[in-house]
Amino acid sequence: MEKEDIASSRLSSQHINLNSSAKSPGDVLASLGAIQAQDYPAALWAIGLRCGDSTTKADVEKAIAEREISRTWLMRGTLHFASSHDVHWMLRLFAPRLLNTAIS
């Protein structure tokens, strides 16, 4: 695989291209799993740019308000945005390690 193909493939899998299949913030996070959200404005931008078309900051914040996506401490005690649909199974997966770390 050529360097250009690798770069193109990575951009496509991260939904950072003109032909992104993700149409909403929920689509982005369902595909990627989660996006780090320590820096709230940067996280909104990271989600919005992956939605394609003309997604705005207000569109991403609407997805938060409507609970399509959630900002939570899923991994490493770091804030992440994730699809609200996926948060439950992710918490079951990560909770034992988070609790062990918190107790230690």
Side-chain angles (χ1 to χ4, degrees):
M1 185 176 257
E2 299 296 321
K3 287 182 183 180
E4 295 80 17
D5 296 330
I6 293 169
S8 178
S9 179
R10 289 188 69 192
L11 291 172
S12 180
S13 67
Q14 290 288 320
H15 299 288
I16 306 174
N17 61 11
L18 297 176
N19 301 318
S20 175
S21 60
K23 302 299 180 202
S24 71
D27 289 345
V28 168
L29 292 166
S31 174
L32 297 179
I35 289 180
Q36 190 165 344
Q38 291 293 104
D39 182 341
Y40 184 80
L44 297 180
W45 181 77
I47 295 167
L49 79 88
R50 288 170 167 84
C51 292
D53 295 334
S54 58
T55 301
T56 65
K57 175 183 173 186
D59 295 329
V60 179
E61 289 187 320
K62 181 179 176 188
I64 298 165
E66 293 179 352
R67 298 181 179 166
E68 178 184 356
I69 63 176
S70 299
R71 189 175 184 214
T72 186
W73 288 269
L74 287 169
M75 298 171 268
R76 304 183 324 241
T78 304
L79 286 167
H80 285 81
F81 275 115
S83 168
S84 295
H85 177 76
D86 293 332
V87 167
H88 300 288
W89 70 260
M90 289 179 169
L91 285 174
R92 284 193 304 274
L93 179 66
F94 298 126
R97 181 171 181 194
L98 288 172
L99 289 172
N100 189 34
T101 301
I103 294 169
S104 300

